[in-house]
Amino acid sequence: MTIADENTIDMIARASEGGLKLIIVDDGSLDDTARFEAFQKKLQNYFRYIVGQLKDDHPECDPNDVTITVACAVPPTEAMQKISGLEHPGAPGLSVSVDYEVIPSPFG
């Protein structure tokens, strides 16, 4: 699963400081325009998961203790980097941070 699979959650991990980390895998295979479009769709899906299904899957987790990390094979685009968090008027008080980690592929 990668950024192009917009209807999936790529990975879920326990954050070291508590809470959950939802991970988007960006393998760098898309051009910048397609990459950003896929990224936006993926973020929307992740946010829907946080405000909807999360409590069923992880009842112990508060949505405010969820972060989204984008694991990038190549550095995120400038447009991507402008997104550092998500808020939604339908979920007042909920703010989810978005961060980026560049993890180069060992396959080049």
Side-chain angles (χ1 to χ4, degrees), residues 12-44:
I12 300 176
R14 294 272 174 212
S16 59
E17 61 280 348
L20 291 179
K21 182 184 288 195
L22 304 183
I23 301 168
I24 295 174
V25 177
D26 178 7
D27 64 359
S29 64
L30 302 174
D31 67 54
D32 284 354
T33 301
R35 185 181 182 199
F36 187 65
E37 289 173 5
F39 177 59
Q40 289 179 303
K41 290 176 183 176
K42 192 77 160 187
L43 283 176
Q44 290 171 358

Side-chain angles (χ1 to χ4, degrees), residues 26 35 69-76 81 99-105:
D26 178 7
R35 185 181 182 199
T69 296
V70 186
C72 304
V74 295
Q81 290 180 40
D99 59 32
Y100 304 85
E101 291 183 30
V102 177
I103 306 169
S105 171

Side-chain angles (χ1 to χ4, degrees), residues 42-106:
K42 192 77 160 187
L43 283 176
Q44 290 171 358
N45 181 55
Y46 274 48
F47 202 74
R48 278 191 303 272
Y49 176 79
I50 292 167
V51 298
Q53 186 67 31
L54 177 75
K55 275 294 184 193
D56 291 337
D57 294 346
H58 301 278
E60 76 288 355
C61 185
D62 184 300
N64 285 302
D65 294 331
V66 175
T67 60
I68 297 173
T69 296
V70 186
C72 304
V74 295
T77 66
E78 188 175 316
M80 291 170 71
Q81 290 180 40
K82 289 181 181 178
I83 300 174
S84 61
L86 301 174
E87 294 181 356
H88 191 278
L94 176 60
S95 179
V96 178
S97 68
V98 178
D99 59 32
Y100 304 85
E101 291 183 30
V102 177
I103 306 169
S105 171

